[in-house]
């Protein structure tokens, strides 16, 4: 086992990983930007090093600085968290060259699966159903012909896309050319790769993903699904497990497909296979995320394991001790992402000093965060400041518990989305579990209309 791990991230996820390390008796090394000198992950780590300016390009994406700290501090492994460098194949290959274990799959695996075009081909060849669409198309006229063949509406997607970027929804031929060029330009500037392809736009559709753990010896277990259809601009807002909408039969088939996907590429460590489920209950592979997911706690709550500790054990060469027949889903878990933004003002990001904080408690209530009383939320990073997660015997009870916990949560000094969550949890479509990825758009329209009246 490792004796020292560097955490190449910030915010709630850095805190989450440091906690897992401390429980396992592993020393921790934090890195931080000049804007984060008072951050919680810095104060709870055993050692910490400032690696550059507030902008992520100068600090949390500064590979040379992070690797230098790893070498100087004697860290044997790096945990990347999510976002930032977690899916950066170049960074992983540098770790490999420096003989530092990257807690995640190999650089080769990350390149293979991060290329959405290649991933789609690989999965199709392995017999996993894939969203209908094309390979990479360079010529806009050929692309237009293909789009007409598939039939509008279609999505243009970037080969190297992530975090909802490089995606364009196109309703008809007139919009096609502009969308094609703007998707490509956005992807070029965000990912240094302007290549795009076309997918059929499925609607109404649910986003359902499967959590996998794979060790270095070819053992794979699937820890059930998470439904993440409450999204705004392709960013998830509420996640739950199990999904209220799938039958045991669909679940079994989807789990098989997810395992097939992992085995097809010889996957290693924690990974998530994202699927779309259409109204006829057909499901399609969308992408595989080669990292810990933001919403991993809902799985932890229903399965009763610590995914981060397992990531560390697997990277250190341990065998999975659990087998599929010993994995049970207990009740129902829900996560609400608490964002410092103003839902009543077009979700404008908010920052400032938290002058009053009360974190809810009670049995099976978990709040993953890096904020504290008098902490100042800096303007440079993601607006997610915490995740509230609850678990209960049934979905109905989990919704009740979440409402109770949300109503106890007090964060003053910044604007946040607690009340929005309370409204969603009372919405009929959410309560009956029929909501799809279009839910938030309709929900916001209804809210705005109510406000105007
Ligand atoms: P999840 O399902 O774990 O929420 P996301 O795709 O939303 O996955 O990404 C997780 C986090 O990483 C989010 O905060 C998102 O903004 C960020 N992220 C994802 N991909 C990128 C990227 N390519 N560049 C910058 N940030 C990204
Ligand atoms: P990213 O890498 O940015 O997360 P994804 O390919 O996972 O991109 O898509 C992000 C979101 O967009 C999905 O969660 C889903 O809501 C929506 N989406 C993606 N592909 C389709 C599709 N073919 N039809 C309908 N919605 C889609
Ligand atoms: Mg995705």
């Amino acid at each position: 086992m490792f004796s020292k791990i560097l955490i190449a991230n910030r915010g709630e996820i850095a805190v989450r990983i440091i906690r897992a390390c401390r429980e396992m008796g592993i020393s921790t090394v934090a890195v931080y930007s000049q804007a984060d000198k008072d951050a919680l992950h810095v104060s709870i780590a055993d050692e910490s090093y400032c690696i550059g300016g507030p902008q992520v390009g100068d600090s949390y994406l500064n590979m040379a600085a992070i690797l230098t700290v790893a070498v100087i501090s004697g860290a044997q492994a790096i945990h990347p968290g999510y976002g930032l460098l977690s899916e950066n194949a170049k960074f992983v290959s540098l770790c490999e060259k420096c003989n530092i274990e990257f807690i995640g799959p190999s650089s080769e695996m990350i390149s293979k699966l991060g290329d959405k075009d290649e991933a789609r081909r690989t999965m199709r060849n392995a017999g996993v159903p894939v969203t209908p669409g094309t390979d990479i198309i360079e010529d806009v006229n050929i692309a237009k012909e293909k789009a007409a063949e598939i039939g509008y509406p279609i999505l243009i997607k970037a080969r190297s896309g992530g975090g909802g970027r490089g995606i364009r929804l196109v309703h008809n031929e007139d919009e096609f050319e502009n969308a094609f060029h703007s998707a490509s330009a956005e992807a070029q500037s965000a990912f240094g790769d302007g290549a795009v392809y076309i997918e059929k736009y499925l609607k109404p559709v649910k986003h359902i993903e499967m959590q996998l753990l794979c060790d270095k010896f070819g053992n794979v277990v699937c820890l059930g699904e998470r439904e993440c259809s409450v999204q705004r601009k392709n960013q998830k807002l509420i996640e739950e497990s199990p999904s209220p909408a799938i039958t045991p039969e669909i679940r079994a088939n989807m789990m098989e497909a997810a395992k097939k996907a992992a085995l097809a590429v010889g996957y290693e460590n924690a990974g998530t296979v994202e699927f779309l489920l259409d109204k006829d209950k057909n499901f399609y592979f969308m992408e595989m995320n080669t990292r810990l997911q933001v919403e991993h706690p809902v799985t932890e709550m229903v399965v009763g394991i610590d995914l981060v500790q397992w990531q560390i054990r697997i990277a250190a060469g341990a065998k999975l001790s659990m087998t599929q027949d010993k994995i049970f889903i207990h009740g129902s878990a829900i996560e609400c992402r608490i964002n410092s933004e103003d839902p009543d003002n077009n979700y404008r990001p908010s920052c400032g000093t938290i002058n009053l904080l009360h974190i809810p408690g009670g049995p099976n209530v978990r709040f993953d965060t890096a904020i504290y009383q008098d902490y100042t939320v800096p303007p440079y990073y993601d607006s997610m400041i915490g995740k509230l997660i609850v678990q209960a015997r049934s979905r109905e009870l989990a919704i009740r518990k979440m409402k109770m916990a949300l109503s106890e949560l007090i964060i003053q000094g910044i604007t946040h989305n607690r009340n929005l969550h309370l409204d969603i949890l009372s919405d009929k479509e959410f309560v009956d579990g029929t909501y799809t990825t279009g839910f938030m758009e309709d929900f916001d329209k209804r809210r705005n209309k109510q406000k105007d009246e």
Side-chain angles (χ1 to χ4, degrees):
M1 183 46 69
F2 310 116
S3 55
K4 195 184 267 193
I5 293 178
L6 182 149
I7 295 91
N9 215 304
R10 65 176 302 282
E12 66 86 19
I13 196 61
V15 171
R16 161 79 188 87
I17 297 162
I18 292 169
R19 286 180 180 147
C21 291
R22 293 178 73 183
E23 248 181 89
M24 296 172 85
I26 299 169
S27 305
T28 52
V29 181
V31 292
Y32 63 98
S33 74
Q34 283 158 4
D36 272 343
K37 66 176 178 16
D38 297 323
L40 189 60
H41 76 281
V42 176
S43 57
I44 67 170
D46 296 305
E47 290 169 60
S48 59
Y49 298 82
C50 183
I51 50 167
Q55 303 292 340
V56 290
D58 297 327
S59 47
Y60 298 106
L61 294 177
N62 185 341
M63 303 186 207
I66 293 169
L67 285 165
T68 304
V69 171
V71 171
I72 291 171
S73 64
Q76 298 133 326
I78 296 183
H79 197 305
Y82 53 71
L84 299 173
L85 294 170
S86 62
E87 292 176 281
N88 188 311
K90 185 175 166 208
F91 179 67
V92 181
S93 106
L94 288 173
C95 290
E96 287 158 5
K97 284 193 183 119
C98 295
N99 220 354
I100 291 167
E101 186 75 23
F102 176 83
I103 300 175
S106 66
S107 58
E108 201 192 334
M109 185 73 57
I110 290 175
S111 316
K112 214 180 159 86
L113 292 166
D115 178 324
K116 292 192 181 206
D117 174 58
E118 187 181 343
R120 282 163 57 80
R121 248 192 320 274
T122 308
M123 294 311 158
R124 218 182 288 130
N125 292 339
V128 178
V130 172
T131 316
T134 69
D135 294 338
I136 295 297
I137 310 178
E138 277 158 22
D139 184 289
V140 64
N141 291 315
I142 298 176
K144 213 188 223 173
E145 280 170 29
K146 292 277 182 198
E149 270 172 43
I150 292 171
Y152 288 94
I154 57 100
L155 278 185
I156 299 174
K157 274 196 189 179
R159 166 167 65 193
S160 304
R165 285 192 290 175
I167 300 182
R168 289 291 180 285
L169 170 60
V170 189
H171 296 94
N172 56 56
E173 201 170 281
D174 295 342
E175 296 173 8
F176 189 85
E177 240 175 273
N178 269 340
F180 185 89
H181 294 304
S182 90
S184 177
E186 182 176 289
Q188 182 65 45
S189 82
F191 314 108
D193 174 14
V196 295
Y197 64 97
I198 299 169
E199 267 183 32
K200 183 163 185 57
Y201 183 61
L202 303 169
K203 204 179 176 185
V205 78
K206 279 178 163 282
H207 173 123
I208 296 178
E209 58 187 34
M210 286 288 170
Q211 176 69 54
L212 297 168
L213 272 182
C214 312
D215 67 16
K216 292 181 193 257
F217 310 96
N219 301 304
V220 178
V221 291
C222 182
L223 305 172
E225 79 276 7
R226 292 181 291 257
E227 161 139 19
C228 316
S229 305
V230 180
Q231 301 182 352
R232 203 186 145 262
K233 295 200 185 300
N234 300 319
Q235 293 267 7
K236 300 159 185 169
L237 194 59
I238 299 181
E239 303 95 345
E240 59 177 319
S241 184
S243 163
I246 70 174
T247 60
E249 192 192 346
I250 299 172
R251 176 174 300 116
N253 291 338
M254 226 186 235
M255 281 173 71
E256 263 336 287
K259 284 201 225 174
K260 210 192 256 180
L263 289 168
V265 292
Y267 193 77
E268 196 183 298
N269 215 295
T272 297
V273 184
E274 296 188 332
F275 293 102
L276 291 173
L277 178 74
D278 72 13
K279 60 179 186 318
D280 302 319
K281 306 285 181 194
N282 299 308
F283 64 83
Y284 304 94
F285 170 87
M286 188 162 44
E287 67 166 341
M288 180 155 180
N289 290 329
T290 55
R291 56 170 163 87
L292 187 69
Q293 209 98 354
V294 174
E295 57 274 20
H296 74 278
V298 296
T299 299
E300 295 185 323
M301 299 281 275
V302 289
V303 177
I305 67 159
D306 187 312
L307 277 166
V308 176
Q309 291 194 18
W310 269 109
Q311 284 191 295
I312 295 170
R313 278 188 212 110
I314 288 170
K319 257 197 184 127
L320 279 177
S321 64
M322 59 204 115
T323 49
Q324 193 68 53
D325 58 327
K326 297 276 165 14
I327 291 163
F328 300 101
I329 307 295
H330 302 279
S332 181
I334 305 177
E335 170 181 280
C336 289
R337 296 192 189 192
I338 307 300
N339 296 332
S340 54
E341 62 190 15
D342 186 358
D344 293 325
N345 261 307
N346 202 24
Y347 295 88
R348 194 171 47 200
S350 163
C351 46
T353 300
I354 292 164
N355 51 40
L356 184 64
L357 177 68
H358 174 74
I359 293 175
N364 305 327
V365 175
R366 167 173 169 183
F367 193 56
D368 279 19
T369 191
I371 63 171
Y372 54 84
Q373 175 103 20
D374 297 330
Y375 172 71
T376 300
V377 178
Y380 307 102
Y381 311 107
D382 206 280
S383 62
M384 196 186 76
I385 52 167
K387 306 183 305 203
L388 183 57
I389 311 110
V390 303
Q391 188 268 352
R393 240 174 30 249
S394 68
R395 183 169 187 266
E396 200 189 331
L397 293 173
I399 293 175
R400 275 164 75 161
K401 194 187 274 280
M402 181 58 94
K403 283 184 175 168
M404 180 277 295
L406 279 168
S407 63
E408 244 186 57
L409 176 69
I410 299 173
I411 308 173
Q412 275 177 18
I414 54 160
T415 312
H416 54 81
N417 60 354
R418 182 198 74 158
N419 292 344
L420 174 73
H421 280 300
L422 281 168
D423 290 346
I424 296 172
L425 291 173
S426 298
D427 187 90
K428 184 181 165 298
E429 246 180 85
F430 182 82
V431 171
D432 68 23
T434 57
Y435 64 94
T436 62
T437 57
F439 173 80
M440 275 311 289
E441 210 182 314
D442 297 340
F443 185 82
D444 273 335
K445 271 186 204 146
R446 266 177 291 163
R447 274 175 77 235
N448 289 334
K449 214 172 126 198
Q450 265 169 13
K451 250 190 306 174
D452 290 346
E453 279 167 12

